[in-house]
Amino acid sequence: MPVKQYKNKAKPKATSQAKSLGLKDTANASAPSSNKVPQVPQQLQQAVLDAYKDVLTISNDALAQTVQQVKQRLYNRDFIQAFATESFREAYTLRWSPSRALAYLNIFHSLDLFPLGSGAGAAVLPGARVTRNRIVCVGGGGGAELVALAAYLRYRQDSSVPGAGLLSDLKVKVQPAFDCTLLDIADWSSVTRKLLSIVTAPPPVTQYAPQKLELASQPLAHPECFAGRFMKADVLSMDAEELRISFQDVALVSVMFTLNELYSTSMGATTTFLLGLTDTLTPGALLLVVDSPGSYSTVGIGSDKEKKYPMQWLLDHTLLESAIADGHGDVPRWEKVQGRDSQWFRLKGLRYPIELEDMRYQLHLYRRV
């Protein structure tokens, strides 16, 4: 299969810098705009794509046909059938997960979510100076969040050592660590195990590789600092005790390209889930929501579904208004740290056997108070 080379694409014209970035910081008007954040190094982004190449077993001959079958089911919004078989799940992971993993990596980097040694749910591991943060990825079965967090952890660890190169050995006294749970309604356990094994194991280095490439034998994430698992569950059916068990002491909850589908399934159950999450999470915990922007993320309300509300409005209403009114007087329980109504992630100068697309998204980050 030929390798696709992604080059810089012309960016659309914008009437202003703010409009072109689609950036709105609701907490601090003087916060630096996202174009000032250093980009994730190109070789780390390429390492993310390389991690996908050999991890799954589906053959090239079957991949194109299977991708089309998955795409048709996704187009029909039949998500249960789209992820009903192992071959469908592997095809989805090979086709759509890599570009999302890169986008998520850049999102995590731009938000700087985990300063060293901080975060709700952080704990120093016995016998080692490692600060571990628990993370739950709702709808994360495709594994993009897992790979992105592994790469982001690697970048944060390398960046914490003065003079350390991107792929150098780490000799840092205090290291961040992630404990990730991917939670999804379909059974992504096999895909999760394969992705976890590849991001925590060093890639092979042959005797013919140049000496300087031996540094590239380091894994995306060191196993002692990165743990991952899959949990099959429907968050819309969880009771209070199940929520407590699943989300207790969590530093970050991510809901990537999932919340709009939850709202479309049941607005009432989704609101109950978000309010239950509010009761469970401790102050300082973060909630990160990423989804399609604009008209792609609207929710029909009423028997005829004719009234359309933006997902963003429903989310803000639930967390910033309903959560306060739910027996807590005027005490806010969430603050909105940042919101981006529409932003692009573009693939630049990267190689992957399957053609991938740029990604446009909206982003909303909240902190439990």
Side-chain angles (χ1 to χ4, degrees):
M1 184 177 291
V3 173
K4 304 293 183 180
Q5 177 76 31
Y6 295 96
K7 300 180 180 180
N8 292 324
K9 298 182 180 180
K11 294 184 178 181
K13 294 182 178 180
T15 56
S16 67
Q17 184 185 54
K19 184 175 180 180
S20 66
L21 292 172
L23 180 63
K24 177 178 65 177
D25 190 330
T26 59
N28 184 1
S30 63
S33 60
S34 63
N35 66 329
K36 296 182 180 179
V37 177
Q39 293 295 307
V40 174
Q42 189 88 347
Q43 71 181 119
L44 179 58
Q45 296 190 64
Q46 185 61 55
V48 168
L49 294 183
D50 292 343
Y52 281 93
K53 289 181 180 178
D54 300 318
V55 68
L56 301 176
T57 57
I58 189 169
S59 67
N60 291 339
D61 294 337
L63 181 58
Q65 180 180 357
T66 308
V67 164
Q68 287 303 316
Q69 292 176 307
V70 174
K71 184 182 291 186
Q72 184 61 48
R73 287 160 174 77
L74 292 174
Y75 179 81
N76 295 333
R77 306 182 74 83
D78 187 355
F79 300 104
I80 299 298
Q81 289 302 312
F83 307 130
T85 69
E86 188 69 14
S87 62
F88 282 5
R89 292 189 288 270
E90 289 196 352
Y92 178 90
T93 302
L94 275 173
R95 173 61 180 80
W96 285 280
S97 180
S99 55
R100 287 196 172 182
L102 289 176
Y104 298 165
L105 168 59
N106 280 271
I107 288 171
F108 295 145
H109 172 55
S110 70
L111 294 175
D112 192 22
L113 294 177
F114 295 102
L116 291 179
S118 69
V124 178
L125 299 182
R129 300 190 63 187
V130 178
T131 301
R132 187 173 295 279
N133 297 275
R134 284 199 63 210
I135 301 169
V136 175
C137 306
V138 177
E145 294 92 325
L146 182 81
V147 178
L149 285 165
Y152 173 61
L153 178 62
R154 183 56 192 264
Y155 179 67
R156 288 303 309 272
Q157 289 175 326
D158 285 353
S159 300
S160 69
V161 184
L166 172 64
L167 295 174
S168 65
D169 275 323
L170 302 176
K171 296 180 180 179
V172 63
K173 292 182 179 179
V174 180
Q175 297 180 9
F178 295 160
D179 188 325
C180 307
T181 299
L182 307 183
L183 192 156
D184 209 298
I185 195 171
D187 185 4
W188 294 86
S189 55
S190 177
V191 168
T192 300
R193 285 194 299 270
K194 292 174 183 177
L195 287 173
L196 182 62
S197 68
I198 205 71
V199 300
T200 56
V205 176
T206 70
Q207 60 178 320
Y208 305 104
Q211 183 71 22
K212 66 180 181 180
L213 291 183
E214 289 184 5
L215 291 176
S217 64
Q218 298 298 315
L220 276 180
H222 291 275
E224 66 271 18
C225 294
F226 190 82
R229 68 192 56 80
F230 175 76
M231 177 181 177
K232 188 176 185 297
D234 179 3
V235 294
L236 298 187
S237 301
M238 284 185 169
D239 58 27
E241 179 62 14
E242 290 171 324
L243 281 172
R244 186 192 66 79
I245 294 172
S246 301
F247 292 92
Q248 190 174 33
D249 298 324
V250 167
L252 169 68
V253 177
S254 70
V255 189
M256 308 293 217
F257 289 92
T258 299
L259 185 62
N260 191 62
E261 298 307 324
L262 294 179
Y263 271 127
S264 298
T265 300
S266 172
M267 191 180 74
T270 303
T271 301
T272 299
F273 163 65
L274 291 172
L275 293 176
L277 200 62
T278 302
D279 292 334
T280 301
L281 296 178
T282 56
L286 298 171
L287 173 63
L288 175 61
V289 176
V290 173
D291 220 306
S292 301
S295 60
Y296 291 102
S297 288
T298 57
V299 181
I301 296 178
S303 57
D304 52 9
K305 303 290 184 180
E306 288 188 359
K307 281 190 175 182
K308 302 287 186 181
Y309 288 86
M311 181 206 74
Q312 172 187 345
W313 183 89
L314 293 171
L315 181 60
D316 282 349
H317 177 74
T318 300
L319 297 182
L320 305 179
E321 297 180 31
S322 297
I324 297 176
D326 189 25
H328 292 272
D330 296 328
V331 179
R333 307 182 73 191
W334 290 95
E335 64 173 342
K336 190 165 187 178
V337 179
Q338 190 171 137
R340 305 176 191 174
D341 294 334
S342 178
Q343 191 155 356
W344 278 97
F345 169 74
R346 300 185 184 278
L347 295 156
K348 301 175 183 178
L350 300 170
R351 302 177 304 279
Y352 190 68
I354 306 171
E355 187 170 1
L356 306 174
E357 293 98 7
D358 300 334
M359 193 181 92
R360 184 169 170 247
Y361 62 91
Q362 60 174 303
L363 177 153
H364 309 283
L365 178 65
Y366 305 83
R367 181 185 290 112
R368 180 75 168 83
V369 296

